[in-house]
Amino acid sequence: MTATIEARQAVTAATQPVRFHQVGKAFGQGRRAVVALDQVDLEVAVGEFVCLVGASGCGKTTLLNLVAGLDQPTAGGIEINSSRPAVVFQEAALMPWLTAAGNIELPLRMAGVPKSVRRTKAAELLELVRLGGLGDKRPHELSGGMRQRVALARALASTTDHTGSGAGKPSLLLMDEPFSALDAITRDVLQGELLRIWQATGTAILFVTHDVREAVRLGQRVVLLSSRPGRVVRQWDVNGLTGPAEIAAVDEVNAALRQVISSHAA
Amino acid sequence: MPLDTVGSVEAGLDALDTPVVEAKVSLPRRIVGRVLPPIVAIALFVVVWQILWAAAFWPEFKLPAPVDVGAQIWELVTTGEILSLFWVSVHRAVIGFAISLLIAVPLGLAIANITVVRRGIGPLVSGLQSLPSVAWVPAAILWFGLNDRAIYWVVLLGAVPSIANGLVSGLDQVPPILPRVGKALGAGRWGGIRYILLPAALPGFLGGLKQGWAFSWRSLMAAELIATSPDLGEGLGQYLHNGMSLSDISMVFAGIMLIFAVGVGIELLVFRPLENTVLRARGLTRAS
């Protein structure tokens, strides 16, 4: 599959896809300003899977929006050394007027990729998310889990375009609580799928969630953010943990998260 | 769960969770279900009319016999005059509608996307929608004289505001997540408008088009009724006007029915199928 090969080649240009330097973000001005992020230092290595956890209001989504370029930081700087970061939102947010394949082709179309190339690419990505042959379905004909997989394939299509300025740079996938609106069993299956796709494509992933268990299961590294303002509190290396060690790690992160939350009780 | 069994569980979930598509009703049944009710309604209307006429509540010159009106229309059909009547009116309406579209789309885009424009002329355009465009007939005649330009002017003022407003409300109703997703997928300003905003606004825009057509047809008939001149050619409005001049009530009734038939016909033949296709493709089917 060419998607795999291209991504692997990108990995050889060993620069960190994203680096935060003392990033701050405030909404509003003056005394009524709400500080969402404060002095955040964070970096994601090539091909690394990083999970961000934190209670609501910790600026997880803000942080992701900054990386995605949907918002600008008010302090510090973000260094991005990847092709355009791909984003998967909590909702699949597929374009209802396009088929599944049409949705995946959309970023390529906007980048001016010729039709035949788009077709092939969309078919490949559909296979990757195990939706081969369903490219002609409309979003309303798909289940929630299938829609989210199409959204993932679409996001990958937006990042694996190596014709533009991002050519040869490592790719980066941003995910904002992508599975939290799904039922438990679908979520479980999709977590497995995401790991498989991560291994297949070698992309770096910055994954936001409020579910500690999910973070420990998926991530190599878990980063805990405090709330209002969001700061990096602690990080855990959870790479390859299984069984009792995984459970212990979940308990530890959970305890730290609770501590952060109870510090807000006044 | 080992990764290799994930595939089969996933396939099972996909099969179970996929929304069930309703079985389609057979074609003859659908036709009967759709076509029969309006035919019965029309038949009932004619029966009531016939009874009222037979009871002679009103003199003949006020309420004509259904047969007389039928004969009047039949005569137009056999002499082929009906074609020229339709042609004169419909081609004017279509041209007027097309010009309106060319003006209304940029206008709607500007109102929806530029705050100053929205605040400045947004209320003006909404207000124009409630101003009957017939009110422009006298001014149009004084400005342009009794010719096609006067008529098009009136049609434009009827159709442009409703098409523009339809586009604006269509754009306003686009879920904010879609342009955000577009931006994340690399859409620039124009790419976002072309590939995300416009298609997303299409259902609302189609509603505006439908209303715009109704307004342009309505304004055209008003203009034709008032601005009659031999130079203008005879459209349905003039035909109706002639019926009045000749005190021929059956001709007046025939005129009203033909105007009605064109308005409804275009809606049923052009706009309804268009709207249904668009809505069905997005899973927004409605009972019709």
Side-chain angles (χ1 to χ4, degrees):
Chain A
M1 194 176 294
T2 55
T4 316
I5 297 159
E6 280 170 14
R8 283 268 155 77
Q9 282 170 346
V11 171
T12 55
T15 36
Q16 286 166 331
V18 61
R19 265 180 103 154
F20 281 65
H21 297 287
Q22 296 283 303
V23 170
K25 173 74 185 171
F27 293 101
Q29 300 205 322
R31 294 186 59 193
R32 294 180 61 194
V34 176
V35 180
L37 292 172
D38 187 32
Q39 298 180 358
V40 173
D41 279 315
L42 182 72
E43 74 296 310
V44 178
V46 170
E48 192 186 15
F49 198 140
V50 176
C51 287
L52 276 176
V53 293
S56 41
C58 72
K60 295 175 296 216
T61 300
T62 308
L63 194 149
L64 225 52
N65 285 343
L66 294 181
V67 184
L70 296 173
D71 224 337
Q72 304 304 321
T74 43
I78 301 174
E79 194 185 310
I80 292 179
N81 294 306
S82 85
S83 48
R84 185 187 317 109
V87 193
V88 178
F89 296 91
Q90 183 177 351
E91 311 162 52
L94 301 179
M95 308 302 159
W97 59 92
L98 294 173
T99 59
N103 266 285
I104 298 173
E105 283 183 33
L106 183 63
L108 303 172
R109 225 163 97 192
M110 294 192 294
V113 177
K115 195 169 188 176
S116 55
V117 181
R118 291 196 319 243
R119 283 260 166 83
T120 331
K121 192 97 209 169
E124 269 169 26
L125 287 166
L126 276 167
E127 284 296 335
L128 181 68
V129 295
R130 294 200 223 243
L131 287 173
L134 293 177
D136 290 336
K137 293 275 182 198
R138 302 269 175 177
H140 69 271
E141 298 171 307
L142 301 172
S143 72
M146 291 156 98
R147 268 180 240 161
Q148 199 55 282
R149 270 142 67 203
V150 175
L152 175 59
R154 180 177 64 179
L156 289 172
S158 78
T159 193
T160 47
D161 164 37
H162 284 260
T163 54
S165 56
K169 289 182 177 173
S171 55
L172 174 64
L173 178 57
L174 307 171
M175 305 186 85
D176 189 2
E177 307 196 12
F179 306 144
S180 61
L182 300 172
D183 60 275
I185 182 145
T186 307
R187 192 185 314 145
D188 188 52
V189 167
L190 286 198
Q191 285 169 355
E193 283 293 20
L194 179 60
L195 285 174
R196 183 178 62 76
I197 288 164
W198 170 56
Q199 279 154 9
T201 58
T203 177
I205 301 182
L206 188 55
F207 188 103
V208 161
T209 177
H210 56 254
D211 181 350
V212 171
R213 199 181 303 264
E214 181 174 63
V216 172
R217 177 184 175 191
L218 292 175
Q220 294 177 300
R221 183 152 59 96
V222 173
V223 176
L224 174 63
L225 283 181
S226 63
S227 297
R228 289 194 208 112
R231 291 194 180 108
V232 176
V233 178
R234 259 181 89 181
Q235 308 196 20
W236 290 266
D237 183 359
V238 294
N239 196 10
L241 295 183
T242 49
E246 188 180 353
I247 296 170
V250 170
D251 286 345
E252 200 184 320
V253 179
N254 255 327
L257 176 59
R258 279 177 196 196
Q259 210 176 359
V260 166
I261 295 172
S262 45
S263 73
H264 281 270
Chain B
M1 184 161 35
L3 280 183
D4 52 328
T5 62
V6 164
S8 59
V9 174
E10 189 169 44
L13 276 177
D14 288 350
L16 290 172
D17 288 346
T18 305
V20 181
V21 182
E22 269 179 61
K24 277 195 176 163
V25 189
S26 71
L27 188 69
R29 265 190 112 155
R30 260 190 305 170
I31 291 176
V32 169
R34 291 240 176 115
V35 174
L36 215 54
I39 287 182
V40 170
I42 292 172
L44 263 174
F45 172 76
V46 174
V47 166
V48 171
W49 179 7
Q50 175 72 27
I51 291 171
L52 286 177
W53 173 77
F57 281 131
W58 297 281
E60 185 86 30
F61 67 85
K62 283 191 179 167
L63 183 73
V67 185
D68 287 348
V69 176
Q72 197 66 248
I73 295 177
W74 183 243
E75 194 197 319
L76 287 178
V77 173
T78 48
T79 57
E81 209 185 323
I82 197 164
L83 285 178
S84 78
L85 284 179
F86 275 168
W87 169 247
V88 168
S89 290
V90 172
H91 97 274
R92 270 185 195 148
V94 169
I95 292 176
F97 182 71
I99 303 173
S100 310
L101 206 57
L102 289 180
I103 299 174
V105 170
L107 183 66
L109 280 177
I111 295 176
N113 288 309
I114 307 169
T115 318
V116 184
V117 179
R118 178 186 288 253
R119 291 197 184 135
I121 63 173
L124 206 71
V125 173
S126 312
L128 271 181
Q129 206 179 356
S130 52
L131 176 74
S133 55
V134 204
W136 290 99
V137 174
I141 291 175
L142 290 180
W143 288 338
F144 304 107
L146 271 175
N147 55 34
D148 275 348
R149 275 159 70 200
I151 288 184
Y152 285 132
W153 175 253
V154 177
V155 171
L156 284 188
L157 278 160
V160 169
S162 35
I163 299 176
N165 270 328
L167 183 55
V168 171
S169 71
L171 287 168
D172 286 349
Q173 282 163 19
V174 173
I177 181 84
L178 295 185
R180 268 167 57 85
V181 167
K183 211 175 157 197
L185 293 177
R189 193 168 170 76
W190 287 111
I193 291 178
R194 152 120 172 60
Y195 291 109
I196 315 283
L197 274 184
L198 284 184
L202 188 60
F205 180 51
L206 273 182
L209 282 188
K210 213 164 81 171
Q211 210 191 356
W213 164 256
F215 271 66
S216 77
W217 183 241
R218 232 188 268 187
S219 317
L220 176 68
M221 287 305 108
E224 283 191 352
L225 251 176
I226 300 174
T228 50
S229 139
D231 307 340
L232 283 172
E234 195 184 340
L236 286 169
Q238 281 92 353
Y239 176 80
L240 189 56
H241 189 265
N242 291 347
M244 185 184 75
S245 308
L246 296 171
S247 299
D248 184 345
I249 190 71
S250 60
M251 197 170 157
V252 169
F253 265 60
I256 293 175
M257 284 181 176
L258 292 176
I259 292 171
F260 176 79
V262 171
V264 171
I266 301 248
E267 143 113 44
L268 285 181
L269 291 177
V270 180
F271 290 101
R272 188 69 65 83
L274 208 64
E275 200 172 36
N276 280 346
T277 317
V278 167
L279 292 183
R280 202 171 303 133
R282 296 166 191 230
L284 301 167
T285 39
R286 49 158 196 203
S288 60

